[in-house]
C-alpha cells in the first residue's frame, strides 16, 4: 500500500457500496487498485499518462473516473458515508456556507461548445470489455462553452468557483460549481438544496440543517426569507448599508436582524473544510475541460475527507 492509498478500514467501508462487476460478460478491473490510481492523481495533480505502473493502464483509471463522474457514482458514495456518520451522531448540523475560487489550468479550456453526439453502445470503446453504463451513452446533459463548463474570466484567467456547505466538523456536506464571476448570495438556496443525507431504514433523507452560518455576502432579504420559510435558524451579519437603509425607513424598515456572535465564531469551519479540499492538488487547480469530471474530482476529495476525518 502506497502513501495516500485506501487503508483496509477505508476499503471495508467502501467495498459494499461500489457497483458490482461481471455484467454482460465483462468484468471491472480491480476496484481498489483503480480507485487508488484515481486518488493518486487527485492528490498529486499529475497528468493521467504519468500515473505509476503499479496502478495498471492509465486509460483504465481515467475512463473509470470519467464514467463514475458522469453517472454520479462518486456523488452517490458521499451521502452513503454521511448517512453512516449521521446514524452514529457524528454530524454537527450547525453548518457554514462559503465559496472558493479555483484557478483553471490552460488545458481546461477548449471544450467543444456543442455536446457530443451519443455513441451506440456496441461501437463505443470502454476501459473493460462488455461493460455498459450511463457514461457510455455520451455525457450528462448541459455543458458546452465557458459558462456551461463553469469557467469564468477573472484577472488571473479562467476560474471556477466551488460553493460549499460544511458541517461543524469541517467536512463538506454539499457543493455546487459555477463560473468565478457568479455571486455567492444567489447560490445559497442552490447549495443548501444539495444536502441529502439518507436515514437508516425507512424515511426521507435529511435535508435541513439546524443552523446556517454565513458571512455578509449572504445577507440578502431573499436568503433570509428562504431560511425562515424552511424553519432554519441562521446567523448572518447585516451590512452597514442595509442597517442604515432600514433605520432611514423608520417603523417601515422592520426589526433588526438577530445576530449571535458566539455562534458566528463557528463559521471558520467552512474555511477549514476548503483548506482540506484544496490539499488535493487536482482540486486546488482545475485541469479538466468538462465540469462534470471536475465535479467528480471534488466529490472524491470530499469522500476521502469524510473517510479520514
Amino acid at each position: 500500500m502506497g502513501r495516500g492509498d485506501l487503508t483496509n478500514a477505508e476499503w471495508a467501508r467502501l467495498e459494499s457500496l461500489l457497483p458490482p462487476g461481471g455484467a454482460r460478460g465483462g468484468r471491472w478491473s480491480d476496484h481498489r487498485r483503480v480507485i487508488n490510481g484515481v486518488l493518486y492523481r487527485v492528490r498529486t495533480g499529475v497528468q493521467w499518462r504519468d500515473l505509476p505502473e503499479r496502478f495498471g493502464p492509465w486509460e483504465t483509471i481515467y475512463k473509470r473516473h470519467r464514467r463514475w463522474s458522469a453517472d454520479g457514482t462518486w456523488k452517490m458514495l458521499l451521502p452513503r458515508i454521511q448517512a453512516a456518520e449521521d446514524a452514529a451522531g457524528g454530524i454537527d448540523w450547525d453548518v457554514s456556507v462559503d465559496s472558493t475560487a479555483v484557478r483553471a489550468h490552460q488545458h481546461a479550456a477548449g471544450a467543444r461548445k456543442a455536446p457530443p453526439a451519443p455513441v451506440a453502445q456496441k461501437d463505443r470503446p470502454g476501459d473493460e470489455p462488455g461493460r455498459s453504463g450511463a457514461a457510455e451513452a455520451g455525457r450528462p446533459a448541459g455543458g458546452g462553452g465557458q459558462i456551461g463548463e463553469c469557467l469564468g474570466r477573472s484577472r488571473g484567467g479562467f476560474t471556477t468557483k466551488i460553493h460549499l456547505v460544511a458541517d461543524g466538523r469541517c467536512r463538506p456536506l454539499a457543493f455546487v460549481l459555477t463560473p468565478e464571476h457568479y455571486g455567492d448570495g444567489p447560490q445559497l438556496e442552490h447549495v443548501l438544496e444539495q444536502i441529502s443525507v439518507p436515514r437508516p431504514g425507512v424515511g426521507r433523507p435529511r435535508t435541513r440543517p439546524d443552523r446556517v452560518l454565513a458571512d455578509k455576502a449572504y445577507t440578502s432579504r431573499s436568503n433570509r426569507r428562504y431560511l425562515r420559510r424552511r424553519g432554519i435558524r441562521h446567523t448572518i451579519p447585516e451590512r452597514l448599508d442595509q442597517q442604515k437603509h432600514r433605520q432611514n425607513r423608520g417603523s417601515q424598515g422592520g426589526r433588526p436582524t438577530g445576530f449571535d456572535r458566539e455562534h458566528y465564531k463557528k463559521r471558520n469551519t467552512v474555511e477549514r473544510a476548503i483548506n482540506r479540499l484544496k490539499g488535493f492538488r487536482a482540486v486546488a487547480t482545475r485541469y479538466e475541460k468538462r465540469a462534470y469530471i471536475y465535479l467528480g474530482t471534488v466529490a472524491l476529495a470530499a469522500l476521502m475527507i469524510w473517510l479520514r476525518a
Side-chain angles (χ1 to χ4, degrees), residues 1-7 28-65 127-128 300 308:
M1 185 177 68
R3 188 169 71 91
D5 289 354
L6 291 170
T7 64
W28 291 110
S29 296
D30 181 63
H31 277 324
R32 185 170 184 176
R33 184 185 66 180
V34 173
I35 292 175
N36 283 335
V38 178
L39 282 176
Y40 183 91
R41 189 265 174 179
V42 172
R43 180 173 59 87
T44 62
V46 301
Q47 295 187 11
W48 292 102
R49 293 175 182 270
D50 295 332
L51 286 172
E53 294 182 358
R54 65 186 177 91
F55 298 120
W58 70 267
E59 297 95 334
T60 298
I61 300 170
Y62 165 70
K63 290 179 180 179
R64 184 81 61 85
H65 178 56
D127 55 349
E128 293 91 10
L300 178 57
R308 295 173 175 175

Side-chain angles (χ1 to χ4, degrees), residues 14 17-20 28 31 35 64-80 133-135 296 299-300 303:
L14 278 181
L17 306 177
L18 297 173
W28 291 110
H31 277 324
I35 292 175
R64 184 81 61 85
H65 178 56
R66 184 185 64 185
R67 176 180 285 114
W68 283 3
S69 298
D71 63 16
T73 298
W74 294 130
K75 292 199 70 175
M76 172 273 295
L77 292 172
L78 182 59
R80 293 192 179 185
L300 178 57
L303 176 65

